[in-house]
Amino acid sequence: SDAYVPVYNESSDAWYPCIRAADLQVHLNHIWSDITTLNNLRMSKGTDDLTDKLLFKYIIVEFLSLIEPLKELQQIVIKSPRLVKGQPAPWRFITKRELIETKRLAKEFWRGFQPFQKELFEIRNEIGAHRGLSDLQAVRVMWKRCDAKQYTDAMNRFIPFLQHLSSINIYHWS
């Protein structure tokens, strides 16, 4: 059975998140699913440059909505109870190996995102979700910067990080 998705899934046998970590994990998966759908539309045949930029602009908006929940989930994981050899296992826990991998993937993701963070937020704020009235030259510059090739590598670093975070034994479902 799948995790409950309010928009897509009304089945009675869906798994519901019971704790904050599970809420965040489901939320991040929903956002990433939307990004994947938008990207599939971008990559479909017959997409012109304007359509590509419009769709990528919305990918940026969605991607930036990942940042705060990802930070929160990362902190929950890092602070989760540890599995310690010779001691009874906590109900939900993280192993030393998982903690090391969490820190490695977090560092890789944030190091890749940081150089583009300011630009991506400017694109979102000036021509995206918070579209302001800017002078036409500034708008032209923003649209030129709205180029998927420039940001794809940094954005794709999210995938292994989310997959790893999702695999850790810290979630509770009902």
Side-chain angles (χ1 to χ4, degrees), residues 47-132:
T47 304
D48 60 21
D49 190 51
L50 176 60
T51 302
D52 182 70
K53 284 186 178 287
L54 282 169
L55 289 167
F56 189 68
K57 178 179 73 165
Y58 287 105
I59 288 173
I60 291 171
V61 170
E62 290 291 335
F63 184 78
L64 293 177
S65 72
L66 292 167
I67 300 305
E68 291 307 315
L70 181 61
K71 285 178 185 176
E72 185 179 349
L73 182 57
Q74 179 183 328
Q75 286 307 305
I76 290 171
V77 168
I78 289 170
K79 293 176 182 177
S80 289
R82 306 291 192 275
L83 180 63
V84 179
K85 189 174 182 177
Q87 293 183 9
W91 183 55
R92 297 283 182 236
F93 58 84
I94 184 170
T95 66
K96 184 177 181 181
R97 180 177 291 148
E98 289 169 336
L99 181 62
I100 290 167
E101 184 67 357
T102 298
K103 289 179 178 180
R104 183 188 73 76
L105 289 167
K107 189 174 186 179
E108 192 174 293
F109 172 76
W110 295 112
R111 187 183 294 143
F113 173 66
Q114 197 280 325
F116 303 106
Q117 182 174 348
K118 183 176 185 272
E119 282 180 30
L120 290 171
F121 277 101
E122 284 175 355
I123 290 168
R124 183 201 68 183
N125 292 345
E126 296 301 322
I127 63 171
H130 305 286
R131 187 184 297 224

Side-chain angles (χ1 to χ4, degrees), residues 19 21-22 25 73 77 92 165-173:
I19 59 174
Q25 193 254 7
L73 182 57
V77 168
R92 297 283 182 236
L165 293 175
S166 298
S167 73
I168 298 171
N169 180 25
I170 62 165
Y171 305 102
H172 182 63
W173 308 88

